Amino acid sequence: MATDSKSLLPIIDISPLLVNCDDPNMMEDVGVAEVVRKLDRACRDVGFFYVTGHGISESLMKKVKEMSHQFFELPYEEKLKIKIKPGAGYRGYQKFGENYTNGKQDFHEAIDCYKEFEQGKYGETGKAMEGPNQWPENPQEYKEEMDEYIKLCIDLSRNILRGISLALGGSPYEFEGDLVGDPFWIMRIIGYPGVNQENVIGCGAHTDYGLLSLINQDDDKTALQVKNFAGDWISVTPIPGSFVCNIGDMLKILSNGVYESTLHRVINNSPRYRVCVGFFYEINFDAVAEPLDIFKEKYPGDKISQVSKRVVYGEHLVNKLQDTFVNFVEHI
């Protein structure tokens, strides 16, 4: 049984952070310091929080969801025109039953998009991800709207991470430069059908792969659930105009385990179709993720935080995708 989120997930107005995001001395601003304090508490307590004051218009947030609804309402034959194909970088439309989490079938359909890169740029590891994103022609201007939305999400993610970097006791720029100077990103546009029975798993319990996730969900249906560190499932009630934000596996590693990536799942108990547009901000595809020296020095005595893992992000992503699509790839 999930409990309601209204008093359990923090709501953080990050506008002071955005106003001062290019100032290396931003922590001297009282508003920024308060945002940083709230980010630290949210990341330590649950790993999820609402973000408001983020500067992306509510009209654009609604439009990308409305256009996604229009796509998912099309006949299957139309949607299959951009079907994911073997060797095409896991990009495009996947129909119901093709996505697996922890070996179990999820009840959703989706369009999967990734940052595009030149053939051969990342050698053998990158080969599995090579290819152009597949955008539908219907609805018209969908690609253009999404391109603009993605650019804004990249900038927003970078700025939130400056606040998180300060929250961990570093400079604002620990998650930039060689590590995230050329950030990879993932966009999953997911459709969850309405159901007439309870507890159909739209997406099974999982943590996210990367640094930071921005979730733009339908305003009128509650389906996302977060497992807090006490072991309770929290239902994440949508707040119009906000993003639900969470930290992923790479941030857990880089922070030396001080911040934990959090299990979450989707159960759409509504009889109405639900759309969620998830943007996932990652480190460079070929970057090595390991605890940053500054955080190993700052948290030497916390046994829980001693994460010794070294992970090349691109390898981590490809392995996760191959696990997710193991049945799908074999039966195309």
Side-chain angles (χ1 to χ4, degrees), residues 115 117 121-122 125 158 161 175-185 210-211 250 254 281-289 311-317:
K115 179 174 181 173
F117 54 88
K121 181 174 182 179
Y122 299 122
T125 302
R158 182 187 302 113
L161 279 163
F175 304 121
E176 297 180 28
D178 292 341
L179 187 68
V180 202
D182 183 25
F184 201 71
W185 56 262
L211 275 178
M250 293 298 110
L254 297 175
Y281 187 80
E282 321 290 278
I283 66 176
N284 297 359
F285 190 86
D286 55 356
V288 175
V311 177
V312 176
Y313 168 71
E315 293 177 4
H316 180 68
L317 173 61

PDB file of all heavy atoms in Angstrom, residues 115 117 121-122 125 158 161 175-185 210-211 250 254 281-289 311-317:
ATOM      1  N   LYS A 115      20.807  10.950 -26.974  1.00  0.00           N
ATOM      2  CA  LYS A 115      21.689  11.901 -27.630  1.00  0.00           C
ATOM      3  C   LYS A 115      22.329  11.226 -28.838  1.00  0.00           C
ATOM      4  O   LYS A 115      22.829  10.100 -28.738  1.00  0.00           O
ATOM      5  CB  LYS A 115      22.768  12.380 -26.660  1.00  0.00           C
ATOM      6  CG  LYS A 115      23.741  13.359 -27.291  1.00  0.00           C
ATOM      7  CD  LYS A 115      24.710  13.913 -26.274  1.00  0.00           C
ATOM      8  CE  LYS A 115      25.655  14.900 -26.940  1.00  0.00           C
ATOM      9  NZ  LYS A 115      26.512  15.592 -25.965  1.00  0.00           N
ATOM     10  N   PHE A 117      25.194  10.730 -31.784  1.00  0.00           N
ATOM     11  CA  PHE A 117      26.639  10.954 -31.887  1.00  0.00           C
ATOM     12  C   PHE A 117      27.167  10.301 -33.157  1.00  0.00           C
ATOM     13  O   PHE A 117      26.515   9.427 -33.740  1.00  0.00           O
ATOM     14  CB  PHE A 117      27.373  10.435 -30.649  1.00  0.00           C
ATOM     15  CG  PHE A 117      27.089   8.994 -30.305  1.00  0.00           C
ATOM     16  CD1 PHE A 117      27.838   7.969 -30.860  1.00  0.00           C
ATOM     17  CD2 PHE A 117      26.067   8.666 -29.419  1.00  0.00           C
ATOM     18  CE1 PHE A 117      27.584   6.640 -30.540  1.00  0.00           C
ATOM     19  CE2 PHE A 117      25.802   7.338 -29.094  1.00  0.00           C
ATOM     20  CZ  PHE A 117      26.567   6.326 -29.660  1.00  0.00           C
ATOM     21  N   LYS A 121      32.411   7.045 -32.758  1.00  0.00           N
ATOM     22  CA  LYS A 121      32.936   7.965 -31.732  1.00  0.00           C
ATOM     23  C   LYS A 121      33.299   7.239 -30.443  1.00  0.00           C
ATOM     24  O   LYS A 121      34.299   7.567 -29.806  1.00  0.00           O
ATOM     25  CB  LYS A 121      31.916   9.066 -31.447  1.00  0.00           C
ATOM     26  CG  LYS A 121      32.382  10.070 -30.410  1.00  0.00           C
ATOM     27  CD  LYS A 121      31.410  11.226 -30.241  1.00  0.00           C
ATOM     28  CE  LYS A 121      31.928  12.230 -29.229  1.00  0.00           C
ATOM     29  NZ  LYS A 121      31.012  13.390 -29.071  1.00  0.00           N
ATOM     30  N   TYR A 122      32.493   6.254 -30.058  1.00  0.00           N
ATOM     31  CA  TYR A 122      32.724   5.556 -28.796  1.00  0.00           C
ATOM     32  C   TYR A 122      33.106   4.093 -28.986  1.00  0.00           C
ATOM     33  O   TYR A 122      32.897   3.262 -28.104  1.00  0.00           O
ATOM     34  CB  TYR A 122      31.481   5.677 -27.907  1.00  0.00           C
ATOM     35  CG  TYR A 122      31.129   7.100 -27.556  1.00  0.00           C
ATOM     36  CD1 TYR A 122      29.882   7.628 -27.882  1.00  0.00           C
ATOM     37  CD2 TYR A 122      32.046   7.927 -26.907  1.00  0.00           C
ATOM     38  CE1 TYR A 122      29.541   8.933 -27.560  1.00  0.00           C
ATOM     39  CE2 TYR A 122      31.718   9.241 -26.592  1.00  0.00           C
ATOM     40  CZ  TYR A 122      30.477   9.739 -26.925  1.00  0.00           C
ATOM     41  OH  TYR A 122      30.155  11.041 -26.611  1.00  0.00           O
ATOM     42  N   THR A 125      31.861  -0.117 -27.646  1.00  0.00           N
ATOM     43  CA  THR A 125      30.797   0.105 -26.663  1.00  0.00           C
ATOM     44  C   THR A 125      29.673   0.936 -27.257  1.00  0.00           C
ATOM     45  O   THR A 125      28.488   0.647 -27.078  1.00  0.00           O
ATOM     46  CB  THR A 125      31.354   0.829 -25.414  1.00  0.00           C
ATOM     47  OG1 THR A 125      32.396   0.036 -24.857  1.00  0.00           O
ATOM     48  CG2 THR A 125      30.258   1.033 -24.377  1.00  0.00           C
ATOM     49  N   ARG A 158      21.681  20.819 -15.632  1.00  0.00           N
ATOM     50  CA  ARG A 158      23.017  21.314 -15.276  1.00  0.00           C
ATOM     51  C   ARG A 158      22.929  22.248 -14.070  1.00  0.00           C
ATOM     52  O   ARG A 158      23.749  22.167 -13.136  1.00  0.00           O
ATOM     53  CB  ARG A 158      23.630  22.046 -16.466  1.00  0.00           C
ATOM     54  CG  ARG A 158      25.057  22.556 -16.207  1.00  0.00           C
ATOM     55  CD  ARG A 158      25.572  23.419 -17.350  1.00  0.00           C
ATOM     56  NE  ARG A 158      25.564  22.683 -18.611  1.00  0.00           N
ATOM     57  CZ  ARG A 158      24.782  22.982 -19.638  1.00  0.00           C
ATOM     58  NH1 ARG A 158      23.931  24.002 -19.570  1.00  0.00           N
ATOM     59  NH2 ARG A 158      24.846  22.274 -20.755  1.00  0.00           N
ATOM     60  N   LEU A 161      22.138  20.459 -10.801  1.00  0.00           N
ATOM     61  CA  LEU A 161      23.332  19.743 -10.334  1.00  0.00           C
ATOM     62  C   LEU A 161      24.362  20.687  -9.717  1.00  0.00           C
ATOM     63  O   LEU A 161      25.147  20.270  -8.855  1.00  0.00           O
ATOM     64  CB  LEU A 161      23.947  18.933 -11.475  1.00  0.00           C
ATOM     65  CG  LEU A 161      23.243  17.594 -11.712  1.00  0.00           C
ATOM     66  CD1 LEU A 161      23.591  17.024 -13.066  1.00  0.00           C
ATOM     67  CD2 LEU A 161      23.601  16.594 -10.612  1.00  0.00           C
ATOM     68  N   PHE A 175      30.211  18.464 -11.151  1.00  0.00           N
ATOM     69  CA  PHE A 175      29.571  17.571 -12.126  1.00  0.00           C
ATOM     70  C   PHE A 175      29.593  18.193 -13.519  1.00  0.00           C
ATOM     71  O   PHE A 175      28.640  18.105 -14.285  1.00  0.00           O
ATOM     72  CB  PHE A 175      28.143  17.246 -11.692  1.00  0.00           C
ATOM     73  CG  PHE A 175      28.070  16.646 -10.315  1.00  0.00           C
ATOM     74  CD1 PHE A 175      27.347  17.260  -9.313  1.00  0.00           C
ATOM     75  CD2 PHE A 175      28.759  15.473 -10.023  1.00  0.00           C
ATOM     76  CE1 PHE A 175      27.285  16.717  -8.036  1.00  0.00           C
ATOM     77  CE2 PHE A 175      28.706  14.922  -8.748  1.00  0.00           C
ATOM     78  CZ  PHE A 175      27.972  15.543  -7.753  1.00  0.00           C
ATOM     79  N   GLU A 176      30.720  18.819 -13.849  1.00  0.00           N
ATOM     80  CA  GLU A 176      30.896  19.411 -15.173  1.00  0.00           C
ATOM     81  C   GLU A 176      32.294  19.060 -15.675  1.00  0.00           C
ATOM     82  O   GLU A 176      32.869  18.061 -15.266  1.00  0.00           O
ATOM     83  CB  GLU A 176      30.637  20.926 -15.100  1.00  0.00           C
ATOM     84  CG  GLU A 176      29.196  21.235 -14.684  1.00  0.00           C
ATOM     85  CD  GLU A 176      28.849  22.706 -14.595  1.00  0.00           C
ATOM     86  OE1 GLU A 176      29.469  23.519 -15.313  1.00  0.00           O
ATOM     87  OE2 GLU A 176      27.952  23.043 -13.803  1.00  0.00           O
ATOM     88  N   GLY A 177      32.829  19.830 -16.615  1.00  0.00           N
ATOM     89  CA  GLY A 177      34.188  19.607 -17.093  1.00  0.00           C
ATOM     90  C   GLY A 177      34.358  18.267 -17.785  1.00  0.00           C
ATOM     91  O   GLY A 177      33.510  17.834 -18.569  1.00  0.00           O
ATOM     92  N   ASP A 178      35.472  17.585 -17.492  1.00  0.00           N
ATOM     93  CA  ASP A 178      35.800  16.323 -18.161  1.00  0.00           C
ATOM     94  C   ASP A 178      34.739  15.255 -17.926  1.00  0.00           C
ATOM     95  O   ASP A 178      34.542  14.368 -18.742  1.00  0.00           O
ATOM     96  CB  ASP A 178      37.153  15.793 -17.675  1.00  0.00           C
ATOM     97  CG  ASP A 178      38.316  16.667 -18.135  1.00  0.00           C
ATOM     98  OD1 ASP A 178      38.111  17.438 -19.102  1.00  0.00           O
ATOM     99  OD2 ASP A 178      39.385  16.590 -17.522  1.00  0.00           O
ATOM    100  N   LEU A 179      34.067  15.346 -16.811  1.00  0.00           N
ATOM    101  CA  LEU A 179      33.087  14.321 -16.440  1.00  0.00           C
ATOM    102  C   LEU A 179      31.752  14.498 -17.167  1.00  0.00           C
ATOM    103  O   LEU A 179      31.161  13.536 -17.659  1.00  0.00           O
ATOM    104  CB  LEU A 179      32.855  14.368 -14.929  1.00  0.00           C
ATOM    105  CG  LEU A 179      31.986  13.273 -14.327  1.00  0.00           C
ATOM    106  CD1 LEU A 179      32.673  11.925 -14.408  1.00  0.00           C
ATOM    107  CD2 LEU A 179      31.665  13.630 -12.872  1.00  0.00           C
ATOM    108  N   VAL A 180      31.289  15.732 -17.234  1.00  0.00           N
ATOM    109  CA  VAL A 180      29.973  15.995 -17.816  1.00  0.00           C
ATOM    110  C   VAL A 180      30.033  17.195 -18.769  1.00  0.00           C
ATOM    111  O   VAL A 180      29.072  17.942 -18.914  1.00  0.00           O
ATOM    112  CB  VAL A 180      28.893  16.244 -16.731  1.00  0.00           C
ATOM    113  CG1 VAL A 180      27.494  15.966 -17.285  1.00  0.00           C
ATOM    114  CG2 VAL A 180      29.112  15.394 -15.498  1.00  0.00           C
ATOM    115  N   GLY A 181      31.166  17.377 -19.435  1.00  0.00           N
ATOM    116  CA  GLY A 181      31.278  18.474 -20.390  1.00  0.00           C
ATOM    117  C   GLY A 181      30.515  18.204 -21.673  1.00  0.00           C
ATOM    118  O   GLY A 181      30.139  19.125 -22.398  1.00  0.00           O
ATOM    119  N   ASP A 182      30.284  16.926 -21.950  1.00  0.00           N
ATOM    120  CA  ASP A 182      29.533  16.519 -23.146  1.00  0.00           C
ATOM    121  C   ASP A 182      28.443  15.545 -22.691  1.00  0.00           C
ATOM    122  O   ASP A 182      28.469  14.362 -23.028  1.00  0.00           O
ATOM    123  CB  ASP A 182      30.489  15.855 -24.146  1.00  0.00           C
ATOM    124  CG  ASP A 182      29.812  15.456 -25.454  1.00  0.00           C
ATOM    125  OD1 ASP A 182      28.786  16.082 -25.798  1.00  0.00           O
ATOM    126  OD2 ASP A 182      30.307  14.518 -26.119  1.00  0.00           O
ATOM    127  N   PRO A 183      27.487  16.018 -21.911  1.00  0.00           N
ATOM    128  CA  PRO A 183      26.555  15.106 -21.226  1.00  0.00           C
ATOM    129  C   PRO A 183      25.722  14.273 -22.191  1.00  0.00           C
ATOM    130  O   PRO A 183      25.204  14.779 -23.177  1.00  0.00           O
ATOM    131  CB  PRO A 183      25.657  16.050 -20.418  1.00  0.00           C
ATOM    132  CG  PRO A 183      25.738  17.363 -21.125  1.00  0.00           C
ATOM    133  CD  PRO A 183      27.122  17.428 -21.672  1.00  0.00           C
ATOM    134  N   PHE A 184      25.636  12.997 -21.890  1.00  0.00           N
ATOM    135  CA  PHE A 184      24.701  12.141 -22.610  1.00  0.00           C
ATOM    136  C   PHE A 184      23.320  12.403 -22.022  1.00  0.00           C
ATOM    137  O   PHE A 184      23.193  12.901 -20.907  1.00  0.00           O
ATOM    138  CB  PHE A 184      25.096  10.673 -22.423  1.00  0.00           C
ATOM    139  CG  PHE A 184      24.533   9.756 -23.479  1.00  0.00           C
ATOM    140  CD1 PHE A 184      25.013   9.800 -24.775  1.00  0.00           C
ATOM    141  CD2 PHE A 184      23.513   8.856 -23.177  1.00  0.00           C
ATOM    142  CE1 PHE A 184      24.492   8.970 -25.755  1.00  0.00           C
ATOM    143  CE2 PHE A 184      22.993   8.023 -24.149  1.00  0.00           C
ATOM    144  CZ  PHE A 184      23.483   8.071 -25.440  1.00  0.00           C
ATOM    145  N   TRP A 185      22.292  12.109 -22.794  1.00  0.00           N
ATOM    146  CA  TRP A 185      20.931  12.225 -22.261  1.00  0.00           C
ATOM    147  C   TRP A 185      20.041  11.153 -22.874  1.00  0.00           C
ATOM    148  O   TRP A 185      20.321  10.614 -23.945  1.00  0.00           O
ATOM    149  CB  TRP A 185      20.332  13.615 -22.488  1.00  0.00           C
ATOM    150  CG  TRP A 185      20.296  14.097 -23.909  1.00  0.00           C
ATOM    151  CD1 TRP A 185      21.181  14.936 -24.520  1.00  0.00           C
ATOM    152  CD2 TRP A 185      19.320  13.758 -24.913  1.00  0.00           C
ATOM    153  NE1 TRP A 185      20.823  15.136 -25.835  1.00  0.00           N
ATOM    154  CE2 TRP A 185      19.680  14.427 -26.108  1.00  0.00           C
ATOM    155  CE3 TRP A 185      18.176  12.950 -24.919  1.00  0.00           C
ATOM    156  CZ2 TRP A 185      18.945  14.319 -27.285  1.00  0.00           C
ATOM    157  CZ3 TRP A 185      17.447  12.839 -26.100  1.00  0.00           C
ATOM    158  CH2 TRP A 185      17.832  13.517 -27.267  1.00  0.00           C
ATOM    159  N   GLY A 210      21.494   7.251 -14.485  1.00  0.00           N
ATOM    160  CA  GLY A 210      22.443   8.347 -14.628  1.00  0.00           C
ATOM    161  C   GLY A 210      22.566   9.281 -13.445  1.00  0.00           C
ATOM    162  O   GLY A 210      22.536   8.873 -12.289  1.00  0.00           O
ATOM    163  N   LEU A 211      22.684  10.576 -13.765  1.00  0.00           N
ATOM    164  CA  LEU A 211      22.875  11.587 -12.737  1.00  0.00           C
ATOM    165  C   LEU A 211      21.556  12.091 -12.162  1.00  0.00           C
ATOM    166  O   LEU A 211      21.346  12.065 -10.959  1.00  0.00           O
ATOM    167  CB  LEU A 211      23.628  12.785 -13.340  1.00  0.00           C
ATOM    168  CG  LEU A 211      25.150  12.740 -13.394  1.00  0.00           C
ATOM    169  CD1 LEU A 211      25.672  14.002 -14.069  1.00  0.00           C
ATOM    170  CD2 LEU A 211      25.754  12.604 -12.005  1.00  0.00           C
ATOM    171  N   MET A 250      24.610   6.990 -11.165  1.00  0.00           N
ATOM    172  CA  MET A 250      25.898   7.648 -11.352  1.00  0.00           C
ATOM    173  C   MET A 250      26.169   8.670 -10.250  1.00  0.00           C
ATOM    174  O   MET A 250      27.295   8.806  -9.783  1.00  0.00           O
ATOM    175  CB  MET A 250      25.953   8.342 -12.720  1.00  0.00           C
ATOM    176  CG  MET A 250      25.951   7.412 -13.912  1.00  0.00           C
ATOM    177  SD  MET A 250      27.391   6.303 -13.989  1.00  0.00           S
ATOM    178  CE  MET A 250      26.610   4.726 -13.639  1.00  0.00           C
ATOM    179  N   LEU A 254      29.379   8.888  -7.759  1.00  0.00           N
ATOM    180  CA  LEU A 254      30.227  10.077  -7.719  1.00  0.00           C
ATOM    181  C   LEU A 254      30.244  10.719  -6.334  1.00  0.00           C
ATOM    182  O   LEU A 254      31.258  11.261  -5.904  1.00  0.00           O
ATOM    183  CB  LEU A 254      29.750  11.100  -8.753  1.00  0.00           C
ATOM    184  CG  LEU A 254      29.823  10.659 -10.223  1.00  0.00           C
ATOM    185  CD1 LEU A 254      29.200  11.710 -11.119  1.00  0.00           C
ATOM    186  CD2 LEU A 254      31.253  10.397 -10.648  1.00  0.00           C
ATOM    187  N   TYR A 281      19.445  12.990 -17.452  1.00  0.00           N
ATOM    188  CA  TYR A 281      20.700  13.701 -17.693  1.00  0.00           C
ATOM    189  C   TYR A 281      21.847  12.843 -17.169  1.00  0.00           C
ATOM    190  O   TYR A 281      21.846  12.435 -16.002  1.00  0.00           O
ATOM    191  CB  TYR A 281      20.646  15.037 -16.961  1.00  0.00           C
ATOM    192  CG  TYR A 281      21.790  15.988 -17.231  1.00  0.00           C
ATOM    193  CD1 TYR A 281      21.819  16.768 -18.376  1.00  0.00           C
ATOM    194  CD2 TYR A 281      22.819  16.154 -16.296  1.00  0.00           C
ATOM    195  CE1 TYR A 281      22.839  17.684 -18.600  1.00  0.00           C
ATOM    196  CE2 TYR A 281      23.842  17.066 -16.508  1.00  0.00           C
ATOM    197  CZ  TYR A 281      23.846  17.831 -17.665  1.00  0.00           C
ATOM    198  OH  TYR A 281      24.859  18.735 -17.890  1.00  0.00           O
ATOM    199  N   GLU A 282      22.822  12.589 -18.031  1.00  0.00           N
ATOM    200  CA  GLU A 282      23.860  11.612 -17.717  1.00  0.00           C
ATOM    201  C   GLU A 282      25.255  12.244 -17.763  1.00  0.00           C
ATOM    202  O   GLU A 282      25.416  13.375 -18.222  1.00  0.00           O
ATOM    203  CB  GLU A 282      23.808  10.466 -18.737  1.00  0.00           C
ATOM    204  CG  GLU A 282      22.397  10.041 -19.157  1.00  0.00           C
ATOM    205  CD  GLU A 282      21.629   9.336 -18.067  1.00  0.00           C
ATOM    206  OE1 GLU A 282      21.831   8.138 -17.881  1.00  0.00           O
ATOM    207  OE2 GLU A 282      20.804   9.980 -17.388  1.00  0.00           O
ATOM    208  N   ILE A 283      26.257  11.519 -17.363  1.00  0.00           N
ATOM    209  CA  ILE A 283      27.633  11.969 -17.556  1.00  0.00           C
ATOM    210  C   ILE A 283      28.041  11.678 -19.004  1.00  0.00           C
ATOM    211  O   ILE A 283      27.266  11.123 -19.783  1.00  0.00           O
ATOM    212  CB  ILE A 283      28.600  11.310 -16.544  1.00  0.00           C
ATOM    213  CG1 ILE A 283      28.718   9.800 -16.768  1.00  0.00           C
ATOM    214  CG2 ILE A 283      28.148  11.593 -15.122  1.00  0.00           C
ATOM    215  CD1 ILE A 283      29.730   9.116 -15.858  1.00  0.00           C
ATOM    216  N   ASN A 284      29.258  12.074 -19.390  1.00  0.00           N
ATOM    217  CA  ASN A 284      29.741  11.767 -20.737  1.00  0.00           C
ATOM    218  C   ASN A 284      29.658  10.259 -20.976  1.00  0.00           C
ATOM    219  O   ASN A 284      29.912   9.460 -20.072  1.00  0.00           O
ATOM    220  CB  ASN A 284      31.199  12.200 -20.908  1.00  0.00           C
ATOM    221  CG  ASN A 284      31.398  13.699 -20.760  1.00  0.00           C
ATOM    222  OD1 ASN A 284      30.444  14.448 -20.539  1.00  0.00           O
ATOM    223  ND2 ASN A 284      32.636  14.129 -20.859  1.00  0.00           N
ATOM    224  N   PHE A 285      29.326   9.860 -22.198  1.00  0.00           N
ATOM    225  CA  PHE A 285      29.143   8.449 -22.521  1.00  0.00           C
ATOM    226  C   PHE A 285      30.391   7.629 -22.174  1.00  0.00           C
ATOM    227  O   PHE A 285      30.291   6.504 -21.679  1.00  0.00           O
ATOM    228  CB  PHE A 285      28.817   8.300 -24.010  1.00  0.00           C
ATOM    229  CG  PHE A 285      28.380   6.918 -24.407  1.00  0.00           C
ATOM    230  CD1 PHE A 285      27.054   6.526 -24.290  1.00  0.00           C
ATOM    231  CD2 PHE A 285      29.294   5.988 -24.903  1.00  0.00           C
ATOM    232  CE1 PHE A 285      26.641   5.248 -24.643  1.00  0.00           C
ATOM    233  CE2 PHE A 285      28.900   4.709 -25.269  1.00  0.00           C
ATOM    234  CZ  PHE A 285      27.572   4.338 -25.137  1.00  0.00           C
ATOM    235  N   ASP A 286      31.579   8.205 -22.445  1.00  0.00           N
ATOM    236  CA  ASP A 286      32.820   7.455 -22.231  1.00  0.00           C
ATOM    237  C   ASP A 286      33.514   7.815 -20.918  1.00  0.00           C
ATOM    238  O   ASP A 286      34.668   7.439 -20.690  1.00  0.00           O
ATOM    239  CB  ASP A 286      33.787   7.663 -23.403  1.00  0.00           C
ATOM    240  CG  ASP A 286      34.081   9.126 -23.685  1.00  0.00           C
ATOM    241  OD1 ASP A 286      33.470   9.998 -23.024  1.00  0.00           O
ATOM    242  OD2 ASP A 286      34.927   9.405 -24.563  1.00  0.00           O
ATOM    243  N   ALA A 287      32.824   8.532 -20.050  1.00  0.00           N
ATOM    244  CA  ALA A 287      33.429   8.925 -18.774  1.00  0.00           C
ATOM    245  C   ALA A 287      33.408   7.772 -17.780  1.00  0.00           C
ATOM    246  O   ALA A 287      32.497   6.932 -17.785  1.00  0.00           O
ATOM    247  CB  ALA A 287      32.685  10.123 -18.186  1.00  0.00           C
ATOM    248  N   VAL A 288      34.425   7.753 -16.926  1.00  0.00           N
ATOM    249  CA  VAL A 288      34.494   6.760 -15.852  1.00  0.00           C
ATOM    250  C   VAL A 288      33.860   7.371 -14.601  1.00  0.00           C
ATOM    251  O   VAL A 288      34.275   8.436 -14.140  1.00  0.00           O
ATOM    252  CB  VAL A 288      35.949   6.356 -15.555  1.00  0.00           C
ATOM    253  CG1 VAL A 288      36.004   5.406 -14.357  1.00  0.00           C
ATOM    254  CG2 VAL A 288      36.586   5.714 -16.774  1.00  0.00           C
ATOM    255  N   ALA A 289      32.864   6.701 -14.072  1.00  0.00           N
ATOM    256  CA  ALA A 289      32.223   7.155 -12.836  1.00  0.00           C
ATOM    257  C   ALA A 289      32.870   6.425 -11.669  1.00  0.00           C
ATOM    258  O   ALA A 289      32.896   5.192 -11.618  1.00  0.00           O
ATOM    259  CB  ALA A 289      30.731   6.858 -12.879  1.00  0.00           C
ATOM    260  N   VAL A 311      32.787   2.645 -12.873  1.00  0.00           N
ATOM    261  CA  VAL A 311      31.887   2.269 -13.955  1.00  0.00           C
ATOM    262  C   VAL A 311      32.077   3.214 -15.125  1.00  0.00           C
ATOM    263  O   VAL A 311      32.059   4.432 -14.948  1.00  0.00           O
ATOM    264  CB  VAL A 311      30.405   2.341 -13.490  1.00  0.00           C
ATOM    265  CG1 VAL A 311      29.474   2.023 -14.644  1.00  0.00           C
ATOM    266  CG2 VAL A 311      30.142   1.404 -12.337  1.00  0.00           C
ATOM    267  N   VAL A 312      32.292   2.660 -16.324  1.00  0.00           N
ATOM    268  CA  VAL A 312      32.228   3.481 -17.528  1.00  0.00           C
ATOM    269  C   VAL A 312      30.748   3.635 -17.864  1.00  0.00           C
ATOM    270  O   VAL A 312      30.043   2.637 -18.056  1.00  0.00           O
ATOM    271  CB  VAL A 312      32.993   2.830 -18.704  1.00  0.00           C
ATOM    272  CG1 VAL A 312      32.827   3.663 -19.975  1.00  0.00           C
ATOM    273  CG2 VAL A 312      34.465   2.670 -18.361  1.00  0.00           C
ATOM    274  N   TYR A 313      30.292   4.877 -17.927  1.00  0.00           N
ATOM    275  CA  TYR A 313      28.853   5.105 -18.063  1.00  0.00           C
ATOM    276  C   TYR A 313      28.261   4.386 -19.268  1.00  0.00           C
ATOM    277  O   TYR A 313      27.226   3.722 -19.173  1.00  0.00           O
ATOM    278  CB  TYR A 313      28.525   6.606 -18.151  1.00  0.00           C
ATOM    279  CG  TYR A 313      27.090   6.809 -18.570  1.00  0.00           C
ATOM    280  CD1 TYR A 313      26.055   6.510 -17.685  1.00  0.00           C
ATOM    281  CD2 TYR A 313      26.760   7.187 -19.861  1.00  0.00           C
ATOM    282  CE1 TYR A 313      24.731   6.617 -18.073  1.00  0.00           C
ATOM    283  CE2 TYR A 313      25.440   7.304 -20.261  1.00  0.00           C
ATOM    284  CZ  TYR A 313      24.426   7.018 -19.364  1.00  0.00           C
ATOM    285  OH  TYR A 313      23.130   7.099 -19.771  1.00  0.00           O
ATOM    286  N   GLY A 314      28.889   4.504 -20.440  1.00  0.00           N
ATOM    287  CA  GLY A 314      28.339   3.894 -21.651  1.00  0.00           C
ATOM    288  C   GLY A 314      28.182   2.386 -21.512  1.00  0.00           C
ATOM    289  O   GLY A 314      27.179   1.815 -21.958  1.00  0.00           O
ATOM    290  N   GLU A 315      29.144   1.727 -20.870  1.00  0.00           N
ATOM    291  CA  GLU A 315      29.043   0.276 -20.650  1.00  0.00           C
ATOM    292  C   GLU A 315      27.876  -0.032 -19.720  1.00  0.00           C
ATOM    293  O   GLU A 315      27.123  -0.991 -19.933  1.00  0.00           O
ATOM    294  CB  GLU A 315      30.352  -0.251 -20.059  1.00  0.00           C
ATOM    295  CG  GLU A 315      31.541  -0.177 -21.021  1.00  0.00           C
ATOM    296  CD  GLU A 315      32.829  -0.631 -20.358  1.00  0.00           C
ATOM    297  OE1 GLU A 315      32.807  -1.071 -19.182  1.00  0.00           O
ATOM    298  OE2 GLU A 315      33.888  -0.532 -21.024  1.00  0.00           O
ATOM    299  N   HIS A 316      27.738   0.773 -18.684  1.00  0.00           N
ATOM    300  CA  HIS A 316      26.635   0.604 -17.725  1.00  0.00           C
ATOM    301  C   HIS A 316      25.289   0.732 -18.442  1.00  0.00           C
ATOM    302  O   HIS A 316      24.389  -0.097 -18.263  1.00  0.00           O
ATOM    303  CB  HIS A 316      26.775   1.673 -16.638  1.00  0.00           C
ATOM    304  CG  HIS A 316      25.723   1.652 -15.578  1.00  0.00           C
ATOM    305  ND1 HIS A 316      25.599   0.646 -14.656  1.00  0.00           N
ATOM    306  CD2 HIS A 316      24.738   2.541 -15.272  1.00  0.00           C
ATOM    307  CE1 HIS A 316      24.592   0.906 -13.834  1.00  0.00           C
ATOM    308  NE2 HIS A 316      24.052   2.054 -14.188  1.00  0.00           N
ATOM    309  N   LEU A 317      25.162   1.741 -19.287  1.00  0.00           N
ATOM    310  CA  LEU A 317      23.915   1.974 -20.007  1.00  0.00           C
ATOM    311  C   LEU A 317      23.612   0.834 -20.969  1.00  0.00           C
ATOM    312  O   LEU A 317      22.489   0.313 -21.000  1.00  0.00           O
ATOM    313  CB  LEU A 317      23.990   3.298 -20.772  1.00  0.00           C
ATOM    314  CG  LEU A 317      22.814   3.611 -21.704  1.00  0.00           C
ATOM    315  CD1 LEU A 317      21.516   3.708 -20.923  1.00  0.00           C
ATOM    316  CD2 LEU A 317      23.069   4.907 -22.470  1.00  0.00           C
TER     317      LEU A 317
END
